[in-house]
Amino acid sequence: MSRVRRKVAIGVTVAAMLAVSACSSSTSTSGSSASTGAAATKDVQVFTWWAAGGEKAGLDGLQTVFKKDCSQYNFVNAAVAGGGGDKAKTLLANNLKAGNAPSSFQAHAGGELSDYIANGQVEDITSEFKADGLDTAFPPELVKQITVGGKVYSVPANIHRANMVWVNPVVLKKANLDPAKAPATVKDWIADLAKLKAAGVTTPLVLSKGFAEEMLLESTLLGDLGVQKFNGLYDGTTKWDGADVTAALNDFKTLESYSNTDRDTMDWDAAMSKYLLPTNPASATGGYQLMGDWVPAQILSLNMPTSAYKYWPAPGTNGVYQWLSDSFTLPKGGTNPEGAKCWLKVVGSAEGQKAFNTVKGSIPARSDATPAGYPAYQQWAMAQWKASKLAPSLAHGSAGPGAWNNDVQTAMSAFSANPDVATLQKSLVAAANKYSNWRSTLG
Ligand code: GAL
């Protein structure tokens, strides 16, 4: 285990531990504690950050199939609210360290999962994976992201896309911009943001805290550098201190200057409802929001019509799918491993993936899925997935370990408070130097 990963697992605070028990029991749908009495053997405690809106709708879809296929068990919803898992991941690390593992927890395929593997916190599930035919059900590149030393450690539920922009057509018309037409480059987008501002639009770019700022940064890097150089940032072949990165960071600074100044006070869904797509459409003051494709699920859960918004890949990133995959694990020492295995079977099944992804905004990870029965967004996304080049996301764990992501998010909030490009670049370089060899530290 690397020293870096050990450090991530340490740092328990009593307050955080109390917080996780409070949140877990308050969101438990069965109302029972997973660790007491006769119910303990039946309860399957599933830990995620899908506590509300479209995210919860996805989890509910999986739960429905679980109730049918695993009727001998109780589903216990241990979700901890907070977009991108900002609170959930810290609390989970604390719980795992304290020996309080749930039955199964959500982890992103790739770097994020590698943390749990390196820390010895998740079981090898290779035999169950193969017995269910999952070794051939998923794309081989995805199976690689959940495998270490020939052993498989999680079951992917979906593929999400990070590099997407959601657009309010009514707001864009104020500057005579065509909402269906994506600006070709980051610079073109900046020009359109300036037009919106000149037309009196108060929040041309809707932004929220933490991971959303990091996503905007990653999309700007991807748009400005192109997919090959962008991927090189995470495999060590592109230098974080290069002049091309400096230029992209300057673009990022300009983009952020068009965003709401209360960005650090709210999560992505609150910012969406406040600025981009409020309940009263006439009160919208936001033009664009860069966010992953859990957005259409959120809009669906709010019963808004699909005509209320448009979408396109972030400027400069057309033809690239910046992917991330939610997967589920079998924690070491978790409650009810047999029940958890039933849960994992549901997660990997064609029926489970359909019940989940139709309402989650993502596309099924299984290669045998067909577009029939999915909303228009996912049908489009499935076609895009097949035709696009791939790039990973650090904000959502596919590009690197959690500790790298944490350092970048710290740099992002410092930048939001004091937008100095040189300082940001220095922090990004330092983070990459610390963590970019993460793959080589795995067995
Ligand atoms: C991601 C996760 C998505 C969605 C999003 C916003 O990390 O993979 O499924 O939940 O956070 O919370």
Side-chain angles (χ1 to χ4, degrees), residues 49-50 55 83-84 106 108 160 211 268 294 324 326 360 396:
W49 53 89
W50 297 330
E55 317 226 282
Q106 171 189 3
H108 288 120
H160 264 307
F211 80 93
W268 67 276
W294 35 94
L324 56 119
D326 295 301
K360 181 67 169 72
H396 301 287

Side-chain angles (χ1 to χ4, degrees), residues 326-344:
D326 295 301
S327 72
F328 282 90
T329 60
L330 183 64
K332 281 218 172 112
T335 56
N336 198 354
E338 286 315 308
K341 284 180 194 167
C342 203
W343 163 252
L344 293 180

